Amino acid sequence: MRMEKEGQTGFCHMSMFSFNATILGGGAKVGFEAIACKLSTTITLKIFYASGMLVFNKILKFKGESIFNVDEKVNDTLIFNTFVLCQVFNVFNARKLEKQNVFKGIHKNKLFLGIVGFTIVLQVVMVEFLKKFADTVNLNGLQWAICIAIAAVSWPIGWIVKFIPVSDKPFLSHLKWAGQAFGRILHLS
């Protein structure tokens, strides 16, 4: 079935083939549009998170030596290690976009656990043993703990993001509306 909504534009309201499926017991319909809205909201929020991490990394790049009282090589290793660990922690949030408990059933997914474990082992090897190859220096226990603590912030952020309601409009359409309103204000003056 082809669905079009008149007067609506944006990613979620494009003309597309409907993928309606009945949820068992509920009779509710879920379509590509609902999935697209959730996905666009999630992607937009991930962009904000990634932008925040980039700003944080830049702060560490320029002020990290004085914040952690370390030399430039250790600071660069802290930034690299934190960035990789942020990706590892964020993989858990990406596992289940709709569920608040991203750890439910994790023990059943051996491939997922294997990939995460391999990534962590590879990161430790790169930082601690492949110093010339990865251009890193050894980190002490406190420095590893700092990297892990900073990276772990992605879990509560991911949990909070899942409580943001998803409207039937794409997330960015709200920004478009705000931009149009701001444009009208500028034209009035």
Side-chain angles (χ1 to χ4, degrees):
M1 163 182 0
R2 187 163 174 88
M3 296 181 64
E4 277 187 37
K5 293 192 177 185
E6 226 175 283
Q8 294 179 330
T9 60
F11 182 70
C12 292
H13 301 287
M14 291 187 295
S15 177
M16 61 183 72
F17 288 99
S18 179
F19 174 78
N20 290 329
T22 302
I23 299 173
L24 293 175
K29 292 192 175 185
V30 177
F32 276 137
E33 291 180 349
I35 293 168
C37 286
K38 179 66 177 175
L39 193 58
S40 71
T41 301
T42 302
I43 289 171
T44 303
L45 294 170
K46 292 290 182 187
I47 289 170
F48 286 130
Y49 170 73
S51 300
M53 287 310 298
L54 284 173
V55 168
F56 182 73
N57 277 333
K58 290 297 178 189
I59 291 170
L60 285 182
K61 180 67 181 162
F62 296 112
K63 297 289 184 183
E65 293 173 37
S66 61
I67 292 171
F68 298 116
N69 196 24
V70 295
D71 65 18
E72 183 181 1
K73 280 298 241 186
V74 174
N75 190 48
D76 289 345
T77 303
L78 284 169
I79 293 169
F80 168 66
N81 201 35
T82 302
F83 181 77
V84 171
L85 291 175
C86 279
Q87 305 316 306
V88 171
F89 277 82
N90 197 40
V91 166
F92 289 89
N93 284 331
R95 243 184 108 239
K96 297 189 176 204
L97 294 177
E98 300 277 328
K99 309 285 184 205
Q100 275 80 33
N101 184 1
V102 295
F103 302 107
K104 186 175 182 181
I106 198 165
H107 63 283
K108 295 176 186 175
N109 194 338
K110 305 291 187 222
L111 180 61
F112 176 80
L113 293 174
I115 291 170
V116 169
F118 178 76
T119 305
I120 292 169
V121 168
L122 186 61
Q123 181 63 14
V124 171
V125 168
M126 286 182 68
V127 169
E128 297 298 326
F129 303 109
L130 299 176
K131 294 175 255 185
K132 288 190 180 188
F133 174 75
D135 197 26
T136 60
V137 295
N138 290 4
L139 297 178
N140 63 34
L142 177 62
Q143 292 164 338
W144 272 98
I146 289 169
C147 293
I148 292 168
I150 293 169
V153 169
S154 70
W155 280 348
I157 289 173
W159 187 74
I160 291 168
V161 163
K162 291 176 183 181
F163 285 100
I164 296 174
V166 178
S167 71
D168 57 347
K169 287 184 180 180
F171 187 78
L172 291 176
S173 71
H174 300 292
L175 297 178
K176 181 181 174 185
W177 174 83
Q180 289 171 345
F182 186 69
R184 279 188 233 126
I185 291 170
L186 289 178
H187 285 14
L188 292 176
S189 38

